[in-house]
Each structure stands twice: as structure tokens, then as C-alpha cells.
Amino acid sequence: MPVFEPTAGTHEFDAVPGLREAWSRFIADAFESNLYGAKDSAHSLLLRWGYSDVDLRFYNPASMPIVAGSKPANVFWPALPTSYDGDFGGKKKKLYEYLDAPQKENGVRSRVQDEYCEWVVERDASGKAVRILFTCEPPEFYDFLYRDPYGVGKAKTRALLLSLYRDRCGTPDVALKELEAGKGSKRAYDPYNSWNAKHCVHMQQGANTLFAEINIVAIAGLLRRKGQKVLTDAQALIDCGRYGEPKRQSDPKIGATINQLARENRFFTLENPVGLYMTGLNTAGWSVAGHPELDPQSLWKVRKGTPDADPARSMIVRAELVSPPGLTLSDVLIGGVPIRYGAQVAEQIQMRVGVLVSEPQAQLPPPHAIGCRDANPPVPPPAAPAPGRGNR
Amino acid sequence: MEVRRVRREPILALRDLQGNILPGFRKDRQHFVFFRIEDASAARRWLASLADRISSGDEVLHAHRTWKASRMRLGREPDNAHFLFLNLALSAGGLAKLLTTAELDEFDDDAFKVGLAARSVYIGDPKTEGDPGHAASWKFGGPGKPVDLLAILASDDRPWVEEETASLVTAGDQHGLAHVHTDVGDVARSPSPGHEQFGFRDGISELAIRGRHPEPPHEFVVPRSIPKGKGFEEVRKQFATPSKRLVWPGNVLFGYPRQDPNDPTQGVATDFPAGPKWAANGSYLVYRRLRQDVEGFRRFLAETAASLQQSLGPDAPQPDKLAAMLVGRWPSGTPFIRSPGADAKIAGEAANYFGFDGPLGPPLPGDPAPPGAPDPNGRIVPLASHIRKSNPRDLGTDIGPATRTPPRLLVRRGITYADGEGPDADRGLLFVAYQSSIQNQFEFLMRTWINNPDRPEPQAGHDPILVQRPGGTALLRLAGTELRIPLPGGLVIPTGGEYFFAPSVSFFERRLRG
Ligand code: HEM
């Protein structure tokens, strides 16, 4: 029985027997390596500080049953990045142009949208936006189909990969070799391939990955101290734990929330299906110029995943904003301002990551806190266990 | 673009910026007079001629000093050390009439350019015409009732400010302007001075603009009074006084660096509010005429307390305590987190010395009240309470670590008003706030935090004071349980308003004259 469902709980993998199971193993392995891997895992950090896995509160539901009484909880953040806010002399137009376009970083051209949501704007001949595609599908999903790491049968998984691409790109023309890069034994799936670049098939910004999400939760789930003071501040925690990207909105907030759960001595794991989801588009105050009868929410089309009126349950991984019939997106007004950039729309999209959280474990001593800089050789643990914080 | 950062606080052009931005008028009587420009060239000449009368930051600072010296000498509030201040601000519509649209386009802020009425539903006002608070019913600023110019006249001397208002309206009339509306702000028209209409002390938590005086020895404009002792280091870096959180001038004023969102001690020298050259030393002014339903508020508290009584029994808060929880402060201003049992009457600077993740630092001298426990989950102060929604303080939020929050805050300069007497009187708050980005500051707070039930804290619900749409709820974590209380919505509704730009004095002197 597979434990982990495919991202957004979709049925695309059903086309290939054994694929669901393989995906579940893939996710379970990602949990394991972040929790117990030899290097830089949560466990290896604890060992280096002289502690053991007794101090782990994050767990892999494939190897330990869900703790009784666990409840879902969420972290929300906006899809519009703020990492580049200060870089354009305060000029929003320049910032939005930058965010909308792929940029060359470390030798590759890639989208730089860094809040686990990426978008591509399609424009008409006059330059007006006509459609904006959004994805928060992780690259792992596609790379997994290309590599077939658990031997389900490459011919079948790659055929599925191609059919998914053809569906996303709306054309049968996609060829496998166009999705690859490198030569000989280095030949691999290329997340920067031209089809993905153009049709926003999945996320490609370097740190927008499922692995990153699991890593943040694993590492942020360790209590941290400076001297004897247990850290609680989001910035201090991310500076100390060095998980994720401190300049983002999501990573410091996810880290701080997770760390608080551990401080409260709760067990937690990621919501299944593991994913980063759009919860929806906030169209309150939107209108279509000259068409008061049109509900702008009707222009938001979910293409993969399931929307839910309750943002805590919404699981959208692919969606698009389409033009009203016979018009362009520049006729769609957000609080009276015409849409020119994808960034304006991203600002109205909310993201979430879900966790399952137990009650505080009164019968267990609170987890030990480790320091910030790696201890090597290991330092002996402090005499008294660090007190948990937060009122209960 | 290369990003440069600065640590030395810049010199503030106090003679050029308008005094209600910094240090604030702080006068008991403030008239907000709205005009429409009918004859642009006549209006331009007249406005240019008013340049000498605009009260600059420098003048208002001097006036405050004089007033304080009199009070020291007399041992009571002086009754003859009066001043009359004047400030002016223009809406985008007004600027478009006086200048070229190209110049107006240089402003980066789209919200300012389209104006408040067009943004009304976006920030949480009702969308159906006919519903109370809808822009179509506003006294001014709504469709068909544009306002171009706002003149603020302020004094402690009531007859004087009335006379001056009358003569300004007459003069405007003679110089191409039509008077549209006047709002009379009066601290005396409230349950008690300094308290808003629901009965809570206001104007406690403030932003202090970083910066120095133009004259040697270039002292800080907002004096610093955090104790020097051990343990106060972090507080001293971020606050001028316990009640005043420091912010880099670029988050309020054009022409100065904005705050580094990841390090409050530095400004980003390459990140300025974007606008025309002459915008330097100016600031956006958000004006909202907010009517408060005082009866409705009392009723809501009584009904909610009664229903909580049913579910919680003796653990249920009484109406006055419930109110304090929903605001986040007792009527006296005492922070609820530091005094959750009953009002411990924490006054002065200590009334703002708290965090939601634990005390900010060691106790202040002469502040014996308990510091307050960490409350990240809102078990003491509900996550939806007005002061948590509008300033989550030391807690990280949906936009990242706590350092990202101060650049989103506002310089608040509101004052109470009441039209008529008795329970049916139209009473409320003339909400006035300065900032350098309406979209990232006022609107962000309104749309993303106050009116979004899941931000900054998941599940929190809506701000019980400010939510307008029906169907909102607020989460209470009380006595070990979680409850959602339904919110009536519309206890506070807008009845007028506009987005303005308060330009520098030299804008009137040079740009308009030019
Ligand atoms: C009639 C409507 C309103 C009432 C009755 C009201 C009442 C209050 C009260 C009693 C306080 C606490 C006093 C203090 O800390 O200074 C406060 C603080 C505050 N209010 Fe309001 N308010 C109203 C409208 C608004 C609006 C429209 C905003 C816009 C975003 C806003 C933003 C804030 C902020 C930022 C604070 C300071 C929070 C802090 O730093 O702790 N308020 N308000």
C-alpha cells in the first residue's frame, strides 16, 4: 500500500501500474534522507551535538503511524516574491518586469519567482497580457517520471511524461529529446527545457522543490539556542538553522511555525499528499471594465488539483487566468488598476503548506536545543534541558 | 542594480516637510476641509501663495516646545500659548489638474493614482451599492463627489480654527476652488479625550521616523530614551522610546532611503519611494471618515459575552473584558497581554512595552507590572484582535520574520469626530495616516491582514473592529478550548475619504509658482 499520494492527490500516475507505489517510496526516501541521512540530516545534527533521535519531533508517516489526535495546521504566504523589492529603486514597474521574465542566474535562464509559485505571461501582438499560467508543481514530479528511479519501466514513465507535457503545452509536438540536456551518461531531464520555459509546466527556480520543503521542516524542527537562550524569532532561527532562503517570505515563516511546534513538544509530519499548494485567487475588488455582469473569479481556471472554499483544504497546483471573452487581461481591473504583469496577479494568490500536528506530549521531556554553528568535535550537552517556550 | 545600505540616519529637511507628518499636530481641534479645483490656474496661484502659511515640521516642533515650556512653568496646560497649524494635500485628481499627467505618472503607487473610491471594495468595503459604507453613499470622495485638495487646520483654540476655516473657504472660493465638505475633528467629542468612540485610548503605539536635525549638532529629531542598561541593546536598536518604533524615513517620506526589511538598523540607500523629483519630503496621506456604531458595538459585546457564558460558564469573559481582548488593550490603553486578569492601569511609555512572543527586554524603570507571557498562539490576546492584526510586533508573519513588519506600518494621525448629540449622532474617527506606499502599507494592512482570516496568523479570523462584510468570525482560544465568535461586520464603516499626497513646502513655493 502506498503511503504518500501523488502531489495534489491526482490520478495521473494511475496510467502506469506501480507508479503510485514508486512515488510513495520516493517521498518516503526524501523524508528519510532529511531526517536520518548521513550528512546534514536532522539526526546527524543532533548527533553532532551529543543528542539522539529522541529529540526529533518531525517524523515520516511511512515508518511511524500518525500520532493519535493529530490535527491539520497550515502556513500561508503570498505567491508574489519580495526578495527583489529593494533592487529597483522603488519602481514597481521595473520590479514586476523583472519578476515576470526569466533571468540568467548561474549560467541558466530560469524563472526567479521564489515563493513556490511560478508564472508565465502570454501576450498578444500588441503586448497586452491575454493569459497567465501559474504552477506550483515541483520539478521532482517530472524528473521522477524521466528517471524512473524505482524501475517501474522507463518506456512507460517517459511516455506518461510526454503525454503530461503535451497536455500542459496544448500540442502533440513535444518530443522527449527536447526535455533533455547533457550528453552520454550525463543525459538528464532538463527543468529549464523550452517547453517548460514557455508553458510553465512545473517550477524551475532552484529552491522551489519538494525536497527543499521537506528539508526545511526537518531542520527547522530542531530547537536552537544561542548560549542558553532558546531561539524563537523567525529570523534568528533561519540564520541559525540555515534552512531555506532567509530572504523569502515562506521559508522563514514555515521554519518558525515548525520550530514552535517542536518547542511545544508536539509531533508533526507533512500533510499527505505532500505538496505546496495555491489556495486560490482573491478577486475581491476586481472587475472587468465595461462588464459589471462578469465575475472575475470565473476567469480563474484550475487545471490541476482541487480548489476548496476553505483555503486550508485547497490543493491547487496548476491554474491560469484567462481573458474575458473578446477582451484581454488589460480589461481586467484589480481595484481599478488594469492587469499588465503576472506579478500583479501573483500578489492575489495565497500559498499554503499543510502539516499534521499532535497535542503537546506531556509525558516526554521537551526536545533539547542545539547550537547554531556545527560542533566538531561534538560539544557535551548542557546540564539542564532547555525549557520549552510558548504558553499552553 | 547594485544595492547599497546605510546605517547613519539621514538629515531630515524639517523646514520642507509638512508638520502633521512629523512631529504631528497633536491639537485638540482639527478641521479637514475638502475642495474641488474648478479653475486650475487660479487655484495654482492661490496654493502657491499659501506656501508661507504651511506649518513645517520645524515650526510644529518649535510650537510643541514652547507649549511644553509654558506647561512646565505654569504647572497646567497653558491657555494662551496657542498655535494654528495649516497643512495641505492633493489627491491624484487634484495634481492632474495642476500639473501634467506625465508628472503624475511618475508616482509609482497605482492606488494613489486611481484613488480611494476605486480601491474601496479591494480593501474590504461593501461591494453592493446601497449597503452602508459603499462608496456611492460617501459624503465626499465617492463617485461624482471628487475632492482635489485637503486643507488641515489645527489648534487648541476652537474659535480660532473655526474663523480660519471660514476664511480659507471664502478665499478658496475666490481663487477657483469649490468647497465640498468639512470634517471637524475634536478630541472632546469622544468618551474622554484621547480615547476613540468605543472608549479605548488611541495613539499609543507610534512610528518614530529615524533622522537628524538639519542644524549641528544634528540631534535625532525623535529623542531616544530607551534605558542604557544591560539587556536593552535590542530594544534600543529598534525603538526611540518604548512607545515609538523606529522606521527609516523612506517608509514615510519621499526622498529618503527605505528600511532594509531584513535589518531594521539599516536603510537601503538605493531603495526610494518612486515619484517625481519634487515629491521629495512629501508623503501619501490616507484619509478615511470612519463612522462608528457605538450602540452596535455594545450590543455585539453583550450578546457575544452572553453566548460565551453559555458555552464556557464562569470562564467566559464579561463584555468589558471581551472588548479588551478584541482590541488588545483595556480602555485605559493597558496592553491586555500584560494584564489579562483586570486592567492594571499601565500608563505612559510602559503601555507599549510588550511583545506577543514575550517581553521585549528587561522591565523599564518604574514599571512594576508583570511583563506578559509569550502568546504566539493567541491564548491571551486573540490573534484577530485589532492591534495584533494591524501590528503583529515581534512575531514572524506570512511575509517573513518580524523585521518585515515595521516597513508596512503607518504614521497615524487620526482624531475623533461627532456630528450631533445623543445615541443617533454620527460619530467616529477621522483616520489619517502617512506612508510612502499606499499599496504596501495602508492597503496591505487592510486587505492582507485585517480582512483576511488566515493572515498574518492562520485561522485567526477577521479584525472584529474593522471587518465590514457580514459572515466574518474571530477565533478565541479560551480556557483550553477553541471558539469562533460570529462578527456582525460594519461596526466601523467609511463615509468618505480619498488618497492624497502631502507635498513639501517647496512644492508650493517653487513647483506651483514655477
Ligand atoms: C474607527 C476605526 C478604528 C478604531 C476604533 C481603532 C482603534 C484602535 C485602538 C484603540 C488602537 C490601540 C491604540 C494604540 O496602540 O495606539 C489602535 C491601534 C492601531 N490601529 Fe486602529 N482603529 C481604527 C481604525 C484603524 C484603521 C483603518 C487602521 C488601518 C490599517 C488601523 C491601524 C492601527 C494600527 C497600525 C495600530 C497600532 C497597532 C500597534 O502598533 O500596536 N486602525 N487602533
Side-chain angles (χ1 to χ4, degrees):
Chain A
M1 262 292 283
V3 173
F4 293 104
E5 287 183 57
T7 313
T10 57
H11 291 274
E12 287 159 343
F13 284 174
D14 296 359
V16 180
L19 204 49
R20 286 182 80 100
E21 288 76 4
W23 175 259
S24 182
R25 269 181 71 191
F26 175 70
I27 297 293
D29 287 353
F31 270 73
E32 285 304 302
S33 66
N34 280 300
L35 273 166
Y36 286 102
K39 208 175 147 268
D40 297 333
S41 68
H43 186 229
S44 74
L45 284 169
L46 286 169
L47 289 180
R48 254 181 275 173
W49 287 88
Y51 301 118
S52 72
D53 62 356
V54 187
D55 291 312
L56 289 177
R57 291 294 174 271
F58 177 47
Y59 64 97
N60 177 0
S63 54
M64 171 174 148
I66 299 287
V67 177
S70 291
K71 293 199 186 88
N74 277 280
V75 182
F76 298 101
W77 67 93
L80 179 68
T82 51
S83 310
Y84 301 94
D85 276 10
D87 297 3
F88 296 92
K91 299 207 169 71
K92 219 167 205 156
K93 185 169 170 284
K94 287 201 171 146
L95 170 68
Y96 283 2
E97 276 167 4
Y98 179 84
L99 287 174
D100 269 13
Q103 306 293 339
K104 204 153 186 167
E105 269 186 7
N106 309 323
V108 289
R109 261 184 110 67
S110 168
R111 292 186 280 270
V112 293
Q113 303 137 3
D114 66 2
E115 291 292 358
Y116 301 104
C117 174
E118 299 182 11
W119 66 87
V120 163
V121 184
E122 294 179 356
R123 295 182 183 277
D124 67 9
S126 69
K128 287 182 174 157
V130 290
R131 190 165 77 129
I132 309 174
L133 310 169
F134 294 91
T135 183
C136 57
E137 276 203 90
E140 284 98 331
F141 193 89
Y142 294 84
D143 184 58
F144 169 81
L145 290 176
Y146 182 85
R147 283 195 298 122
D148 184 28
Y150 300 93
V152 174
K154 271 203 179 72
K156 285 186 238 160
T157 61
R158 289 186 177 181
L160 178 58
L161 173 69
L162 264 185
S163 84
L164 293 179
Y165 256 90
R166 287 171 180 161
D167 171 67
R168 309 290 191 257
C169 304
T171 164
D173 294 344
V174 187
L176 188 67
K177 63 174 188 307
E178 295 168 324
L179 308 182
E180 300 171 321
K183 293 223 153 56
S185 64
K186 293 248 175 65
R187 200 147 185 80
Y189 177 70
D190 176 16
Y192 309 105
N193 72 69
S194 60
W195 291 103
N196 185 17
K198 188 162 174 221
H199 297 277
C200 207
V201 175
H202 63 74
M203 298 194 288
Q204 57 174 201
Q205 196 275 352
N208 283 348
T209 65
L210 264 191
F211 198 84
E213 177 201 351
I214 299 170
N215 179 260
I216 291 167
V217 175
I219 304 302
L222 302 175
L223 273 63
R224 299 283 179 162
R225 61 181 163 79
K226 247 197 177 127
Q228 291 309 305
K229 188 179 175 287
V230 175
L231 302 180
T232 63
D233 175 64
Q235 180 95 49
L237 282 167
I238 201 168
D239 290 347
C240 175
R242 281 168 294 165
Y243 48 78
E245 296 281 327
K247 279 180 89 180
R248 292 181 174 196
Q249 302 163 98
S250 47
D251 292 358
K253 177 61 182 173
I254 297 170
T257 304
I258 293 299
N259 191 266
Q260 189 192 324
L261 297 174
R263 293 198 307 277
E264 293 173 353
N265 208 0
R266 297 169 191 269
F267 281 108
F268 51 89
T269 188
L270 283 163
E271 171 189 56
N272 182 13
V274 177
L276 299 134
Y277 299 111
M278 293 182 254
T279 69
L281 176 72
N282 182 356
T283 54
W286 290 39
S287 58
V288 179
H291 292 270
E293 78 287 357
L294 274 179
D295 176 6
Q297 189 62 221
S298 69
L299 308 174
W300 171 248
K301 311 282 187 195
V302 173
R303 299 296 185 213
K304 182 172 172 183
T306 41
D308 196 297
D310 178 0
R313 296 151 65 110
S314 210
M315 282 198 284
I316 304 169
V317 287
R318 183 169 183 78
E320 51 194 73
L321 187 71
V322 301
S323 296
L327 302 171
T328 68
L329 286 176
S330 60
D331 299 300
V332 180
L333 313 177
I334 305 179
V337 178
I339 294 177
R340 293 195 186 90
Y341 305 101
Q344 286 168 283
V345 180
E347 190 176 11
Q348 312 298 331
I349 295 175
Q350 179 170 278
M351 304 295 302
R352 78 169 180 100
V353 60
V355 283
L356 269 180
V357 186
S358 81
E359 289 297 312
Q361 302 293 300
Q363 80 287 3
L364 287 180
H368 291 98
I370 62 172
C372 299
R373 294 287 158 253
D374 282 355
N376 198 11
V379 275
R389 268 187 77 170
N391 72 91
R392 262 150 268 140
Chain B
M1 188 166 142
E2 196 208 340
V3 176
R4 274 184 300 112
R5 300 196 160 75
V6 281
R7 278 189 185 272
R8 193 181 157 78
E9 298 185 19
I11 302 280
L12 299 178
L14 289 173
R15 293 219 176 85
D16 201 30
L17 57 90
Q18 298 201 48
N20 200 29
I21 309 171
L22 179 69
F25 287 162
R26 293 173 212 291
K27 291 292 154 199
D28 290 353
R29 182 87 171 184
Q30 303 191 15
H31 287 193
F32 299 85
V33 193
F34 299 89
F35 296 92
R36 201 174 53 245
I37 296 172
E38 312 254 82
D39 174 346
S41 55
R44 198 181 300 119
R45 278 193 303 274
W46 182 61
L47 288 171
S49 78
L50 289 181
D52 299 344
R53 288 191 51 199
I54 296 174
S55 313
S56 68
D58 193 50
E59 282 159 359
V60 177
L61 275 169
H62 274 103
H64 287 341
R65 229 169 277 150
T66 309
W67 190 90
K68 272 189 200 146
S70 295
R71 188 180 56 183
M72 284 276 271
R73 193 160 41 80
L74 299 167
R76 59 174 165 79
E77 292 202 351
D79 42 31
N80 58 358
H82 288 329
F83 299 88
L84 188 123
F85 299 139
L86 170 71
N87 269 188
L88 300 172
L90 290 147
S91 66
L95 283 172
K97 288 181 185 171
L98 298 174
L99 311 167
T100 61
T101 13
E103 253 174 298
L104 181 61
D105 276 342
E106 288 178 50
F107 280 103
D108 191 63
D109 202 298
D110 287 326
F112 171 65
K113 287 187 270 193
V114 301
L116 175 59
R119 304 291 282 181
S120 161
V121 180
Y122 180 82
I123 59 172
D125 296 349
K127 69 167 182 251
T128 313
E129 206 174 318
D131 283 355
H134 188 274
S137 64
W138 290 358
K139 291 177 184 292
F140 59 94
K145 288 177 221 160
V147 286
D148 297 325
L149 172 74
L150 161 61
I152 310 175
L153 292 131
S155 177
D156 288 335
D157 183 331
R158 179 185 304 233
W160 193 10
V161 77
E162 269 159 15
E163 266 166 43
E164 287 296 328
T165 304
S167 62
L168 193 81
V169 168
T170 311
D173 213 37
Q174 291 159 356
H175 296 92
L177 288 108
H179 174 236
V180 179
H181 180 84
T182 297
D183 274 336
V184 176
D186 191 338
V187 297
R189 298 302 310 272
S190 68
S192 60
H195 294 233
E196 51 70 46
Q197 307 291 5
F198 294 151
F200 291 82
R201 190 174 185 88
D202 201 355
I204 301 168
S205 181
E206 276 195 58
L207 279 188
I209 299 172
R210 283 190 195 266
R212 298 162 184 279
H213 276 282
E215 294 84 31
H218 307 298
E219 303 249 34
F220 293 127
V221 174
V222 183
R224 313 290 153 96
S225 69
I226 302 291
K228 296 263 183 289
K230 203 169 141 30
F232 287 104
E233 297 82 1
E234 283 307 309
V235 189
R236 208 157 47 235
K237 274 189 209 161
Q238 298 188 38
F239 291 81
T241 75
S243 70
K244 297 193 183 104
R245 182 180 272 283
L246 288 161
V247 70
W248 279 76
N251 291 85
V252 183
L253 294 165
F254 280 61
Y256 298 87
R258 283 203 167 110
Q259 181 153 317
D260 180 340
N262 298 309
D263 181 352
T265 64
Q266 19 182 59
V268 182
T270 41
D271 183 16
F272 290 91
K277 259 209 164 58
W278 52 258
N281 295 314
S283 183
Y284 290 123
L285 186 170
V286 171
Y287 188 92
R288 299 262 280 171
R289 184 183 193 277
L290 297 173
R291 179 184 296 171
Q292 293 176 251
D293 179 359
V294 178
E295 284 286 298
F297 184 63
R298 301 270 161 251
R299 213 177 319 120
F300 156 66
L301 293 172
E303 287 169 10
T304 307
S307 90
L308 288 174
Q309 183 88 43
Q310 296 213 318
S311 42
L312 296 174
D315 285 333
Q318 295 300 304
D320 54 342
K321 184 166 176 181
L322 178 65
M325 291 168 71
L326 297 181
V327 171
R329 292 183 183 275
W330 292 95
S332 66
T334 298
F336 194 81
I337 188 139
R338 294 192 53 190
S339 189
D343 183 357
K345 304 272 186 235
I346 303 173
E349 289 291 337
N352 206 42
Y353 192 57
F354 64 95
F356 295 118
D357 197 26
L360 298 181
L364 293 174
D367 176 16
D375 186 29
N377 299 323
R379 293 188 198 286
I380 303 171
V381 183
L383 301 173
S385 63
H386 179 54
I387 69 164
R388 279 190 91 143
K389 275 283 188 181
S390 52
N391 184 5
R393 294 183 177 233
D394 52 343
L395 288 172
T397 71
D398 56 316
I399 60 165
T403 54
R404 311 272 171 91
T405 298
R408 305 294 190 149
L409 299 178
L410 308 163
V411 168
R412 291 182 299 137
R413 298 283 185 245
I415 185 169
T416 50
Y417 78 90
D419 248 359
E421 303 293 334
D424 294 332
D426 167 9
R427 60 183 76 232
L429 178 72
L430 306 174
F431 178 86
V432 177
Y434 293 96
Q435 64 235 269
S436 68
S437 167
I438 295 172
Q439 288 180 291
N440 290 344
Q441 293 171 264
F442 172 70
E443 288 194 343
F444 171 82
L445 293 177
M446 292 297 288
R447 181 172 173 94
T448 309
W449 284 355
I450 285 165
N451 283 305
N452 185 329
D454 283 311
R455 281 150 70 179
E457 290 293 343
Q459 291 180 275
H462 299 87
D463 180 330
I465 309 298
L466 292 184
V467 66
Q468 290 183 59
R469 302 202 180 120
T473 62
L475 174 73
L476 297 189
R477 291 184 163 137
L478 265 179
T481 61
E482 290 199 352
L483 297 148
R484 271 191 184 279
I485 55 168
L487 302 172
L491 298 173
V492 171
I493 57 162
T495 50
E498 181 54 289
Y499 293 153
F500 295 93
F501 184 73
S504 62
V505 177
S506 52
F507 166 83
F508 295 92
E509 252 165 20
R510 298 201 205 108
R511 180 65 194 84
L512 281 192
R513 213 164 275 173

